[in-house]
Amino acid sequence: MWLRRSKTRARVHNAPAPKFACSSFKDVHTLLLDDEPAGGGSPGSSLESPTKPSICHRSRSVKTLIRTLSQPAPPEEIRIPGAEQTVVVYFTSLRIVRRTFEDCKAVRSILRDFRVSIDERDLSMDSGFMDELRSILGQSPEKNSKLTLPRVFIGGRYVGGVEEVRRLHESGELKKHVEGLPASEPGTCGACGGYRFILCDECSGSHKYYSEKGGFRSCTLCNENGLVRCPSCSCAPL
Ligand SMILES: [Zn+2]
Ligand SMILES: [Zn+2]
């Protein structure tokens, strides 16, 4: 190309003007064609098209950002990630506090009537559920007295306790909340008999194991009651 151009330039003085003009325009045209992207389109549109939408897009993004910042922040929603397809109930099966026991029983009974998948987390079977619930609700362990049971999450979203569930049930809203959730498995789980926990295989439910070096140690695979969640019917703990 350069060789050809220098030849062309050299001819400027000798060759007739029309021939030079024709030859040089052809070269420029070829250069322009080489610079154009494959697939056609005018040079103008090929330069402008990638720029225009990006400016518009940026302007839209800024507008969205301003709108988001100027809106009042919505109340923070309490959620259990990964529990979108079930109802999670934190409750106790112990009768220590009669009112709490009755409330837990009532809520479980209301929810069971919808025959949807329910993950019942009994705090009396595993104290780990207590820490789990506190962490979800953002409560510090010092506020022991404030953690009332039951606590219900539907489709991963926190619904409330017995009062909220009763109110939603009476207004017919609860049915809408559980709609679309998978149906519960019929019958009682054969592995745990419906308790949702089984004895730890590792320590046979003693929550201790003997090590030659350190003597008796706490089993790390089960809870303080020597139980592990039933693999057949319970979701994995958080
Ligand atoms: Zn164990
Ligand atoms: Zn089971």
Side-chain angles (χ1 to χ4, degrees):
M1 179 66 77
W2 288 114
L3 188 65
R4 188 176 171 186
R5 278 193 152 198
S6 63
K7 270 184 185 171
T8 310
R9 207 172 286 133
R11 244 185 275 145
V12 169
H13 304 287
N14 307 325
K19 197 181 174 189
F20 155 68
C22 181
S23 159
S24 92
F25 275 130
K26 192 182 165 216
D27 284 353
V28 169
H29 185 62
T30 313
L31 281 170
L32 281 175
L33 278 177
D34 286 345
D35 285 345
E36 274 180 30
S42 72
S45 71
S46 72
L47 285 172
E48 284 167 23
S49 54
T51 323
K52 272 190 177 170
S54 89
I55 288 171
C56 291
H57 179 70
R58 259 181 240 162
S59 145
R60 264 202 308 274
S61 305
V62 170
K63 274 183 196 161
T64 312
L65 182 68
I66 291 168
R67 209 164 38 234
T68 312
L69 290 174
S70 58
Q71 276 173 356
E76 205 174 315
E77 199 175 57
I78 301 170
R79 301 188 71 94
I80 306 181
E84 289 78 13
Q85 292 300 305
T86 190
V87 175
V88 178
V89 185
Y90 288 91
F91 74 104
T92 177
S93 59
L94 292 181
R95 283 176 189 262
I96 297 170
V97 181
R98 190 185 166 86
R99 171 79 191 272
T100 303
F101 176 78
E102 294 296 336
D103 288 348
C104 291
K105 202 173 142 191
V107 158
R108 289 167 71 206
S109 167
I110 290 170
L111 292 167
R112 281 180 176 185
D113 281 348
F114 291 107
R115 305 200 183 282
V116 293
S117 155
I118 303 177
D119 183 355
E120 296 185 328
R121 300 182 178 180
D122 187 349
L123 273 71
S124 57
M125 293 285 261
D126 188 343
S127 66
F129 288 142
M130 170 92 78
D131 303 330
E132 191 179 288
L133 182 58
R134 279 190 199 289
S135 147
I136 293 164
L137 297 175
Q139 283 192 2
S140 59
E142 295 82 51
K143 296 178 181 172
N144 277 358
S145 56
K146 288 198 175 180
L147 190 66
T148 54
L149 293 173
R151 299 289 180 129
V152 177
F153 297 76
I154 299 177
R157 286 176 56 230
Y158 179 56
V159 169
V162 66
E163 293 305 323
E164 288 81 2
V165 170
R166 276 206 178 111
R167 200 167 53 236
L168 287 170
H169 187 41
E170 281 159 17
S171 67
E173 286 289 308
L174 195 61
K175 192 171 188 290
K176 291 180 195 166
H177 278 63
V178 298
E179 259 171 11
L181 293 179
S184 56
E185 299 281 328
T188 309
C189 173
C192 66
Y195 288 101
R196 295 182 179 262
F197 280 89
I198 55 170
L199 276 186
C200 173
D201 268 347
E202 200 65 23
C203 63
S204 307
S206 65
H207 192 48
K208 279 187 238 136
Y209 72 95
Y210 186 75
S211 124
E212 286 189 4
K213 280 186 182 172
F216 281 105
R217 295 220 170 150
S218 293
C219 176
T220 53
L221 298 176
C222 58
N223 66 19
E224 73 279 11
N225 298 317
L227 301 170
V228 291
R229 298 197 78 182
C230 173
S232 304
C233 66
S234 283
C235 300
L238 292 170

